[in-house]
Amino acid sequence: TVFSDTCQKLPEKAAGNSYYDDTNGVPLENGRVHHLGLKKGEVANRVVCVGSDSRALILKSLLDDPDNCFELRSPRGFTCYTGAYKGVRVSVMATGMGGPMMDFAVRESRAIVEGPMVMIRLGSCGGVAAAATPGVVVANTPGSVRCSRNVDCEDFSAPSDDCYLITKNPAMPDEGLASALAASLRKELGNANVVEGLNCSADSFYDAQWRKDPNFKDANTDVLARLQAMHGAVASVEMESFYLLHLAKHAKRMKAASCAVVAANRISGAVVDRDAFKAAERAAGVAVLSAVAAAEL
């Protein structure tokens, strides 16, 4: 893939009193990307993405000097902490939920960071495999597929292959980074608490994750069976990892991998204890920060 050098030349501020500049590129406001609110120098080349602010705070507390790290909260719902982990400069970014938010995080970070990048997502997920029990961490070494509601389908009165679109090919992580992440997770959590498995990123928490909602016609009772028929064993379901892995594959000088703590097993219905979930988040945070800090750029 050929990338134009002009794509990386970012003006320092918008002209006059414009809302932002470059409406057909990556918009900037006074040198800051429009949605993250960040500018060059504020995001490290190594980034850990999380969904929630509370998880970002856990990871921030693990940094070398958490009280003095850079911090910015944007009006668009993103939070970024930049500091060091074991002497290596890293950023922790809370992206919120869903593919569009991940798209903002990946693209706008790439626009303002010079040189190669490594991004790892530490999320939460539903377990779909029997081994993906509450509190276990699923490492998406085999990648992630995507499932979305087909808005062109006119009949949601009964399940059909037309109701939901499932990608044929998984978005794959960087092989070396995914292997190092899985090893780091096992070191911190133990072999019994880490599962390597395929993820599915849905475009919704509800319909594309086959939840029941009596207020809507969703026709989604066959979605899991279709996923399994197409891709065999699926270990987890959430809403963001596919987009990170897909974008990184097609980005300039970017490696990515993903993992998530199981909040509940969707087959058994078992839900994690709050304290156990927080403990898993923290241990996984240590593992992810260690992997991202050790990764070769």
Side-chain angles (χ1 to χ4, degrees):
T1 304
V2 177
F3 294 84
S4 170
D5 289 339
T6 59
C7 294
Q8 301 302 312
K9 295 177 181 177
L10 306 176
E12 288 302 313
K13 61 181 179 179
N17 196 33
S18 298
Y19 184 52
Y20 56 65
D21 70 331
D22 193 9
T23 191
N24 291 312
V26 180
L28 293 169
E29 297 178 66
N30 296 319
R32 296 183 176 276
V33 285
H34 187 56
H35 303 92
L36 300 186
L38 297 161
K39 65 180 181 180
K40 285 184 177 182
E42 293 177 344
V43 182
N45 295 73
R46 295 174 169 86
V47 181
V48 177
C49 295
V50 299
S52 68
D53 284 334
S54 62
R55 192 172 307 126
L57 283 171
I58 291 173
L59 268 66
K60 175 195 174 187
S61 73
L62 299 171
L63 298 180
D64 294 347
D65 188 7
D67 293 335
N68 293 303
C69 69
F70 167 83
E71 177 179 340
L72 188 141
R73 299 176 186 271
S74 86
R76 300 291 183 134
F78 296 90
T79 302
C80 180
Y81 304 106
T82 298
Y85 182 76
K86 296 184 178 179
V88 179
R89 192 168 185 261
V90 299
S91 290
V92 175
M93 188 177 295
T95 65
M97 295 180 290
M101 295 294 275
M102 182 59 75
D103 188 77
F104 286 135
V106 175
R107 291 181 184 273
E108 294 191 0
S109 295
R110 178 65 284 179
I112 56 174
V113 174
E114 296 182 356
M117 292 187 70
V118 172
M119 299 187 80
I120 298 179
R121 167 171 154 76
L122 171 58
S124 59
C125 66
V128 183
T133 54
V136 160
V137 176
V138 178
N140 306 134
T141 309
S144 178
V145 295
R146 177 178 179 264
C147 179
S148 59
R149 187 184 184 103
N150 181 11
V151 296
D152 286 328
C153 178
E154 296 182 354
D155 184 6
F156 280 88
S157 61
S160 75
D161 289 354
D162 290 335
C163 294
Y164 293 87
L165 304 175
I166 300 171
T167 54
K168 295 179 181 179
N169 299 313
M172 298 298 294
D174 177 83
E175 184 177 357
L177 183 63
S179 177
L181 172 61
S184 186
L185 287 166
R186 287 195 173 94
K187 179 181 177 181
E188 292 298 328
L189 289 99
N191 290 338
N193 294 312
V194 179
V195 173
E196 292 185 70
L198 183 69
N199 179 67
C200 174
S201 290
D203 68 345
S204 166
F205 184 78
Y206 294 100
D207 55 358
Q209 292 192 41
W210 60 95
R211 284 185 166 87
K212 299 175 182 179
D213 186 342
N215 296 301
F216 296 88
K217 292 180 179 179
D218 289 323
N220 60 2
T221 54
D222 67 335
V223 172
L224 177 57
R226 287 183 59 210
L227 271 169
Q228 293 169 332
M230 290 179 66
H231 296 287
V234 180
S236 58
V237 59
E238 43 83 90
M239 295 186 289
E240 297 84 15
S241 294
F242 174 87
Y243 302 91
L244 169 60
L245 301 180
H246 173 78
L247 288 169
K249 181 180 178 180
H250 299 283
K252 185 177 182 180
R253 303 173 73 188
M254 181 180 287
K255 300 176 183 178
S258 62
C259 64
V261 182
V262 178
N265 186 280
R266 296 293 308 282
I267 309 303
S268 69
V271 180
V272 71
D273 174 82
R274 287 183 183 273
D275 291 339
F277 187 77
K278 291 297 182 186
E281 277 186 309
R282 185 176 183 85
V286 171
V288 170
L289 283 168
S290 297
V292 80
E296 183 178 348
L297 292 174

